[in-house]
């Protein structure tokens, strides 16, 4: 039975329509991952997750969760829910594409490969934001991590 190990709620500035869940060491960066072709929401790999917002410049609400095993998909309305994998060491935090980072960290108990279930909501509302508005709390994200 899966149980929540730890969680944090945070926000970070989205720049150029993107932000990352980045391992603290920053020796590997999800910003180095290739953007998928077409409309995309997230990609995972060495160093964390690269996330694609529906708006260019704003502050989404983000909840990061670490689970000991696969959790249930979160209830509520989500525009997209997808599962992918990433590889992270020791701790992660939210970071902008120009390296502004959150002061809050999520400790990773078992370094290495992790599953990530990414939920995102309110994308239509976020897409209506003008470039450079820096609105807060429109788009919302839930990212659940657990060991692979």
């Amino acid at each position: 039975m899966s149980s929540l190990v730890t969680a944090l709620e945070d926000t970070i500035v989205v720049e150029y329509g993107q932000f990352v869940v980045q391992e603290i060491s920053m020796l590997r960066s999800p910003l180095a991952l290739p953007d998928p072709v077409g409309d995309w929401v997230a990609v995972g790999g060495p160093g964390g997750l690269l996330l694609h917002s529906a708006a260019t410049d704003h502050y989404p609400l983000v909840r990061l969760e670490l689970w000991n095993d696969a959790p249930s998909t979160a209830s509520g309305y989500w525009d997209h829910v997808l599962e992918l994998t990433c590889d992270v060491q020791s701790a992660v935090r939210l970071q902008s594409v120009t390296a502004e980072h959150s002061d809050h960290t999520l400790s990773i108990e078992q370094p290495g490969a992790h599953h990530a279930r990414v939920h995102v909501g309110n994308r239509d509302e976020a897409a209506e934001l003008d470039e450079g508005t820096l609105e807060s709390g429109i788009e919302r994200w839930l990212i659940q991590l657990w060991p692979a």
Side-chain angles (χ1 to χ4, degrees):
M1 181 165 167
S2 65
S3 56
L4 181 65
V5 176
T6 188
L8 67 86
E9 294 186 10
D10 208 349
T11 189
I12 193 70
V13 64
V14 167
E15 299 168 317
Y16 307 103
Q18 299 177 352
F19 68 103
V20 295
V21 173
Q22 170 72 53
E23 64 186 9
I24 300 294
S25 70
M26 295 185 64
L27 297 175
R28 306 174 300 168
S29 174
L31 289 170
L33 298 170
D35 292 349
V37 176
D39 189 26
W40 62 281
V41 174
V43 63
L49 302 168
L50 175 61
L51 304 155
H52 188 251
S53 174
T56 303
D57 308 296
H58 71 110
Y59 289 88
L61 297 174
V62 182
R63 179 175 169 90
L64 281 172
E65 297 179 344
L66 179 65
W67 292 78
N68 67 344
D69 202 358
S72 299
T73 301
S75 61
Y77 177 77
W78 300 99
D79 298 320
H80 297 279
V81 177
L82 62 138
E83 289 192 22
L84 41 108
T85 59
C86 62
D87 187 88
V88 291
Q89 308 294 318
S90 70
V92 296
R93 64 181 169 205
L94 298 178
Q95 186 171 300
S96 73
V97 297
T98 59
E100 179 180 321
H101 60 80
S102 172
D103 293 330
H104 303 102
T105 61
L106 185 78
S107 294
I108 301 297
E109 293 187 343
Q110 296 178 336
H114 279 72
H115 296 283
R117 184 178 297 126
V118 177
H119 307 69
V120 60
N122 298 353
R123 285 180 67 82
D124 289 343
E125 293 87 343
E128 293 176 9
L129 296 174
D130 290 330
E131 186 174 335
T133 59
L134 297 175
E135 292 286 332
S136 295
I138 307 295
E139 193 173 60
R140 59 193 177 87
W141 294 76
L142 168 62
I143 302 163
Q144 300 170 312
L145 300 170
W146 68 95

